[in-house]
Amino acid sequence: MTPEEFRRYGRQVVDRIADYLHSIESYPVRSPARPGEVRAALPEHPPEEGEPFENVLADLDRVVLPGLTHWQHPSFFAYFPANTSGPAILGDLLSSGLGVQGMVWATSPACTELETVVVDWLAELLGLPSSFRTDAAGGGVIEDSASSASLVALLAALHGAGGGAPRAPGTADAGRYTLYVSSQTHSSLEKAARIAGLAPDDVRFVDVDPATLAMDPAHLDALLTADVAAGARPAMVCATIGTTSTTAIDPVRRIGEVCRAHGVWLHVDAAYAGVAAVCPELRGINDGVAGYADSYVTDPHKWLLTNFDCSVLWTADRTPMIEALSILPEYLRNAATSSGEVIDYRDWQIPLGRRFRALKLWSVIRWYGAEGLRAHIRRGIGLADELAALVAADPRFEVVTPHPFGLVCIRPVWSDEADRPLPAGRANEATTALLERLNASGELYLSHTRVGEDVVLRMAIGAPATERVHVLAAWDHVTAEYDRLAAEGA
Ligand SMILES: *Cc1c(COP(=O)(O)O)cnc(C)c1O
C-alpha cells in the first residue's frame, strides 16, 4: 500500500469509525449471530492474489458488524464497561502507525519514557502513594490486562517469599507457597497461581462477610497462622477494591495490617473501580493502599475512556519484580541497559515485546484533563444511584448489594398465584428467563451473577454514550418484561 493509498483508505476508515459511533444505536446491542454463522459467511481459503481494500470494508459491513456485540452502545450494561473515546482511538492509531516495538529502552526511548511519565501522572491523578512513583522505589507499567498484571505481582511476591532464590517447582526444597483470595476474587488470580506452578490447594480461600461480600481479615489471619504452622510459605494476599461480581470492597487497611504482621505481599486488584479515585471524594476506596499495598492494578480500559488494552500495575518496590522476571540474553545487551540509567519494561511484564500503549492513555489524559475524567466517573455513579433508587422503590425488585460505583445488582422478586415467594430454584429460572428475553430484544444488554443462592441481574453503567434516557429506557424494559413473564405465570 502506497502512502497515497494509505491516506485514501485511512480517511475512509476514520469516517467509518465516526459513522459507526454516531449510528451505534441502530444496531441490536447483543449480536444475534448463532455459533458458526460468521465463520460460514467467510471464504474457507485465503486469497491467492491481493484484493482491493474496498473488499475488506465491504465484508466488514456484510459479515463482521452483524456478528458484533456493540460494547460502545449506550444501552450496553453487561459485565463492566469497556470504554473507548476519540482521543484513545486516535492515540492507538498513532501507536499502530508508528509501529514501534518498545521491549527495552534502547528500542525506542520515547516509548519507555512517555510511559513512565503517564503512569506517574495517573498515580498522581488517583492519589496513589508516592512510593508507587518511578522516582521512588516503585513505579508503574502498562500491561495488556489486569490478569497479566496480577500474574506479574504474584511472580514478584513468590520471588520475595522464596528469599530471592529462583524456585524450582516440583523439587523437595521448592517449599509450599500459598496465595490468599476470597470467593469473590477475580478468577485471574487462580489462573495466575496455576501458571506460576502453585497446586490447587495452595490457593487459600478466605471467608467473606455474607452481607457485604468483603474479605474477613480475622479469617485471613487465622489461615495464615495455621498455614505457617503447617510449613507453608505464604506468598501473596490479593485484596479487591470493587469485585467483579458485585463491586464489593475488601477492607484493605485491616488486611494490610494482617499482611504486615505475617510479612506477606499485599496485592490490590482494583481493575474496574480503581480509576474512580480520580474523584477526590472517592479516594476513601483506597484506604490502606498507602503503607500496606506492595502492588496495585487498575484498568483504564474498563472505565477510564481508554480502549482495550491498557491496564496499569504499580509496585511499591520494583526490585523483586525485576529480579523475578529479568533474563538478559546476549542479543538484547546494550549500553543503556548496562548503564542502569534506564528502565527496560520487558522486565516488568510476561512477554518481551510491547506496544506503545502509553500514547492512548496520554491522549486521553490530555484531552479530558483531570476534570473531564472526574466528570465521566461522576456521571456513571450518578446514573447508577438514580437507577438504584428506582429499583429500591419498586416492590417487584430489590437492590441486592451496596452500589458504590456504576454497577447495580438487581434481584427480581417472584411470587406464585397465592403471592408466596417462589423458592430460590424457581425464582432463579424466572430471572434467567427474564435476562434472556431482555438481551434477545437487542434493546439492551445486561449480565448476571450469583449472590448467595440467588441469580441477580447486573446493570453496569459507565459507557461514555450512556445518558439518563438510556438508563430510564432500560429500566422500563426490565419492568415491562418482568410483568409479561409474571403474567405468563413464571
Ligand atoms: C475485569 C477484572 C479483572 C480482569 O481484567 P482484565 O484486564 O480483563 O484481565 C480482574 N479483576 C477484577 C476485579 C476485574 O473486575
Side-chain angles (χ1 to χ4, degrees):
M1 192 177 277
T2 65
E4 275 318 308
E5 286 169 326
F6 178 79
R7 199 184 300 281
R8 188 166 85 239
Y9 292 125
R11 289 192 171 128
Q12 287 180 27
V13 166
V14 170
D15 278 345
R16 271 168 169 267
I17 296 171
D19 290 345
Y20 170 70
L21 293 174
H22 183 72
S23 63
I24 194 160
E25 288 190 57
S26 64
Y27 299 94
V29 190
R30 188 182 73 174
S31 170
R34 290 181 305 279
E37 199 175 324
V38 174
R39 196 171 161 200
L42 294 166
E44 200 181 335
H45 302 289
E48 196 59 32
E49 307 276 324
E51 297 180 61
F53 198 73
E54 280 85 355
N55 293 11
V56 174
L57 294 177
D59 282 351
L60 193 77
D61 290 336
R62 185 181 63 90
V63 185
V64 178
L65 279 171
L68 292 185
T69 289
H70 301 280
W71 283 70
Q72 306 310 316
H73 195 295
S75 301
F76 182 99
F77 302 108
Y79 311 104
F80 280 134
N83 281 184
T84 187
S85 67
I89 298 167
L90 294 175
D92 220 15
L93 181 59
L94 285 171
S95 166
S96 296
L98 298 173
V100 155
Q101 224 286 22
M103 50 196 177
V104 295
W105 179 90
T107 61
S108 251
C111 180
T112 294
E113 295 191 17
L114 181 64
E115 183 159 331
T116 305
V117 168
V118 170
V119 294
D120 281 350
W121 276 10
L122 190 60
E124 182 181 322
L125 284 170
L126 301 181
L128 292 174
S130 53
S131 56
F132 285 8
R133 295 181 56 91
T134 316
D135 53 15
V141 58
I142 306 179
E143 309 266 340
D144 57 355
S145 68
S147 307
S148 301
S150 294
L151 174 58
V152 166
L154 178 60
L155 295 171
L158 284 165
H159 185 80
R167 289 180 315 126
T171 60
D173 62 350
R176 182 185 166 221
Y177 293 86
T178 43
L179 165 69
Y180 298 80
V181 299
S182 82
S183 58
Q184 305 299 305
T185 305
H186 192 265
S187 55
S188 55
L189 270 294
E190 241 181 295
K191 193 169 181 179
R194 242 192 243 180
I195 296 169
L198 269 63
D201 287 352
D202 298 341
V203 180
R204 312 288 285 151
F205 285 86
V206 183
D207 291 345
V208 295
D209 177 316
T212 62
L213 301 178
M215 185 183 276
D216 175 2
H219 185 233
L220 172 65
D221 193 19
L223 264 185
L224 283 165
T225 303
D227 286 353
V228 171
R233 296 194 206 178
M236 187 171 101
V237 173
C238 177
T240 307
I241 295 173
T243 58
T244 313
S245 176
T246 65
T247 63
I249 302 175
D250 288 339
V252 173
R253 176 173 297 279
R254 284 162 58 217
I255 291 169
E257 286 162 3
V258 173
C259 290
R260 172 77 47 85
H262 290 269
V264 184
W265 183 290
L266 173 61
H267 175 59
V268 175
D269 177 359
Y272 159 68
V275 297
V278 288
C279 302
E281 71 274 19
L282 295 170
R283 296 263 163 89
I285 62 171
N286 282 332
D287 179 50
V289 169
Y292 290 110
D294 295 288
S295 51
Y296 182 99
V297 62
T298 191
D299 283 349
H301 68 223
K302 278 184 171 155
W303 195 13
L304 204 68
L305 299 160
T306 310
N307 49 306
F308 192 83
D309 51 355
C310 184
S311 176
V312 184
L313 171 70
W314 287 274
T315 58
D317 178 4
R318 57 186 175 260
T319 307
M321 171 183 63
I322 293 172
E323 283 181 4
L325 297 180
S326 182
I327 297 171
L328 185 60
E330 183 54 36
Y331 45 80
L332 288 178
R333 283 185 198 280
N334 65 86
T337 294
S338 308
S339 76
E341 285 178 78
V342 301
I343 292 174
D344 291 332
Y345 282 124
R346 66 175 189 124
D347 297 333
W348 302 43
Q349 62 174 22
I350 306 299
L352 167 64
R354 34 199 350 266
R355 309 179 56 220
F356 197 170
R357 298 192 191 91
L359 274 176
K360 62 185 167 190
L361 187 52
W362 191 50
S363 306
V364 165
I365 294 174
R366 294 185 65 178
W367 176 264
Y368 290 97
E371 273 307 325
L373 298 175
R374 287 175 196 134
H376 167 66
I377 297 290
R378 284 177 186 141
R379 215 167 56 88
I381 293 178
L383 291 174
D385 285 345
E386 206 175 330
L387 171 70
L390 290 173
V391 178
D394 193 320
R396 295 167 291 183
F397 298 89
E398 277 172 6
V399 179
V400 187
T401 48
H403 52 92
F405 306 108
L407 174 73
V408 184
C409 292
I410 304 168
R411 189 172 79 87
V413 180
W414 303 100
S415 34
D416 63 15
E417 305 77 33
D419 236 18
R420 284 177 309 239
L422 286 190
R426 283 189 55 211
N428 288 345
E429 281 169 27
T431 300
T432 306
L434 172 62
L435 177 67
E436 187 41 39
R437 285 206 194 176
L438 289 167
N439 290 344
S441 76
E443 301 286 340
L444 74 172
Y445 189 18
L446 311 182
S447 56
H448 78 281
T449 189
R450 197 176 267 269
V451 175
E453 52 176 16
D454 298 326
V455 172
V456 304
L457 307 176
R458 289 172 78 268
M459 190 158 159
I461 300 170
T466 303
E467 305 277 353
R468 188 163 179 269
V469 291
H470 301 106
V471 175
L472 297 181
W475 180 237
D476 279 348
H477 277 295
V478 173
T479 53
E481 202 61 68
Y482 172 97
D483 286 345
R484 267 195 288 277
L485 259 173
E488 287 168 27

